Amino acid sequence: MKALVYHGPGERGWDDVPDPSIFDATDIIVRVDTTTICGTDLHILKGDVPETTPGTILGHEAVGTVQEIGASVTSVAPGDRVLLSCVSSCGRCRYCKEGRYGQCLGGGGWIFGHTIDGVQAEYARVPFADNSVYKIPEGLSDEQVLFLADILPTSYEVGVLNGMIRPGDVVAVVGSGPIGLAAVLTARLYTPGQIVAIDLADSRLEGARRFGADVTINNGNEDAVAKVMELTDGLGADVALEAVGVPQTFELATELIRPGGHVANIGVHGHAVTLHLEKLWIRDVTITTGLVDTFSIPQLLRLIVNGRLDPSLFATHRFALDDTMSAYDTFADAANSGALKVVLQGPGSVGAPDVGLTGAKAAA
Ligand SMILES: NC(=O)c1ccc[n+]([C@@H]2O[C@H](COP(=O)([O-])OP(=O)(O)OC[C@H]3O[C@@H](n4cnc5c(N)ncnc54)[C@H](O)[C@@H]3O)[C@@H](O)[C@H]2O)c1
Ligand SMILES: [Zn+2]
Ligand SMILES: [Zn+2]
């Protein structure tokens, strides 16, 4: 089969590799119908993720069709369409029993395209299938559910739920990349009073308005803290979600929060950040952190089925799966291409328009 293989920093190929096969009784094999690329894949390609060794197939977000099941798998059968979660769950360890699949001690957690072969391929081996895949309800296209593999649960669980957004709250979202935009989209489920999106790129802020932000601030040329204070009678935001992952944006989130408010950090940080406890201690501020668990996939899926949530807005570009190499170029050049999520469609991709239209820009 063909697959996108990591060959060490800066090097990738769309290579011929052996077809995957069942290894453990809890495995299934799926044909990958629709997949996408994540900012994390770009981090791996830069060499920032040393656990990912050259030769690994990348990718951790996909929709596929079950081809073969291991001896102990009971919840899916060949022919079923399934969503693969970016996080696998052994279902047996202490953390899996608490719904903290991201912290799995039994060989799960974030493994796809990280410590085992991923899903940017024609076929994939999926471990712990009974606990880690979700059957796709009749009538939904692949693209409607694809973003439940990673970005929607991430922003919902680590941002919206940890931040305890309540109706009427002023919610500040720092960063308007896919994660910040997914935070804007899922924050709206709680009817906030106002959503304020903050980013350095005007193009990203335009995106934030399309996703439902009420106010946008370019903190490259505006004073974000002053503007949030102005909007909130000098108090600050009720909830601030950090969706970038650099020291400045975490500090910004803690500066624009009101006393008694919640700062929920979503960004992955590679550098030490200063926590200004000398200013924060007296303000009753709650700070949370987290890695996505994807326990919310069934809940978010029901919202999509009922027409209450529509993540298809994230699909800015579509490519044939065979053209994954060009899709990487477009995704990596987001500043010029305007890419949010690039959708890769295999021959079995269900329901999405433009199959085979290489590099087609998705209809708005
Ligand atoms: N916690 C988790 O489980 C989890 C899961 C997935 C991703 N993440 C993390 O979420 C973060 C966001 O992901 P993404 O895919 O949206 O990233 P992205 O790089 O596509 O978007 C980041 C956005 O932040 C903006 N930005 C950069 N510096 C800024 C600054 N100083 N002030 C304001 N805006 C600034 C950029 O213009 C960009 O729009 C990353 O750190 C990613 O690793 C966390
Ligand atoms: Zn990801
Ligand atoms: Zn586990």
Side-chain angles (χ1 to χ4, degrees):
M1 68 162 184
K2 290 281 192 186
L4 194 288
V5 180
Y6 170 63
H7 290 298
E11 304 288 331
R12 58 177 150 87
W14 182 244
D15 296 351
D16 285 304
V17 298
D19 285 358
S21 53
I22 301 272
F23 186 74
D24 290 314
T26 48
D27 289 349
I28 61 173
I29 303 296
V30 300
R31 179 190 71 206
V32 175
D33 296 327
T34 307
T35 179
T36 180
I37 306 171
C38 177
T40 305
D41 300 324
L42 301 182
H43 278 296
I44 294 172
L45 274 167
K46 275 195 211 137
D48 292 349
V49 185
E51 314 85 82
T52 306
T53 51
T56 304
I57 298 171
L58 297 186
H60 51 262
E61 301 167 76
V63 170
T65 304
V66 179
Q67 306 293 295
E68 206 187 326
I69 63 172
S72 72
V73 173
T74 56
S75 64
V76 294
D80 286 347
R81 284 173 68 218
V82 290
L83 168 76
L84 313 184
S85 166
C86 66
V87 164
S88 306
S89 161
C90 80
R92 302 160 66 114
C93 74
R94 171 183 167 174
Y95 288 123
C96 284
K97 290 195 164 155
E98 291 176 358
R100 289 186 188 272
Y101 312 136
Q103 308 293 334
C104 176
L105 300 167
W110 172 40
I111 53 175
F112 277 136
H114 180 204
T115 55
I116 68 165
D117 280 336
V119 301
Q120 289 161 7
E122 291 176 326
Y123 295 90
R125 178 178 77 92
V126 181
F128 307 119
D130 277 333
N131 312 309
S132 312
V133 309
Y134 299 83
K135 275 199 219 177
I136 298 177
E138 212 49 52
L140 294 185
S141 72
D142 288 4
E143 215 170 274
Q144 275 177 291
V145 295
L146 178 63
F147 308 121
L148 291 183
D150 181 350
I151 59 172
L152 266 100
T154 293
S155 299
Y156 182 60
E157 295 170 11
V158 186
V160 173
L161 295 182
N162 279 357
M164 298 181 75
I165 294 174
R166 289 173 306 179
D169 278 353
V170 173
V171 178
V173 181
V174 185
S176 295
I179 293 289
L181 297 178
V184 170
L185 197 64
T186 52
R188 284 168 55 197
L189 295 168
Y190 285 85
T191 327
Q194 276 190 314
I195 301 178
V196 183
I198 302 169
D199 201 291
L200 294 171
D202 286 330
S203 59
R204 285 278 162 100
L205 292 171
E206 248 168 64
R209 276 191 290 275
R210 263 188 287 130
F211 276 76
D214 303 288
V215 179
T216 57
I217 304 174
N218 185 324
N219 59 324
N221 50 42
E222 287 173 278
D223 182 340
V225 176
K227 197 149 173 205
V228 170
M229 292 303 157
E230 200 182 300
L231 285 169
T232 54
D233 298 326
L235 286 180
D238 298 288
V239 180
L241 308 181
E242 197 284 342
V244 185
V246 298
Q248 305 87 290
T249 47
F250 179 79
E251 287 188 29
L252 175 58
T254 62
E255 283 163 16
L256 50 74
I257 198 72
R258 72 162 167 82
H262 286 242
V263 174
N265 180 82
I266 314 173
V268 172
H269 291 267
H271 297 281
V273 180
T274 306
L275 178 67
H276 287 287
L277 263 186
E278 76 284 7
K279 291 184 194 147
L280 287 166
W281 74 270
I282 203 169
R283 294 164 61 83
D284 300 358
V285 170
T286 303
I287 298 173
T288 54
T289 64
L291 167 69
V292 64
D293 294 305
T294 70
F295 66 80
S296 66
I297 287 178
Q299 182 186 16
L300 295 168
L301 195 52
R302 287 194 299 276
L303 287 162
I304 294 173
V305 169
N306 294 322
R308 298 271 190 244
L309 184 68
D310 178 14
S312 51
L313 218 54
F314 283 104
T316 52
H317 297 72
R318 300 189 182 95
F319 293 82
L321 184 59
D322 253 343
D323 209 12
T324 297
M325 291 295 275
S326 324
Y328 261 88
D329 295 335
T330 299
F331 183 68
D333 188 27
N336 293 309
S337 65
L340 286 177
K341 291 295 269 184
V342 297
V343 177
L344 298 161
Q345 300 171 316
S349 190
V350 171
D354 303 334
V355 176
L357 279 189
T358 298
K361 209 161 177 189

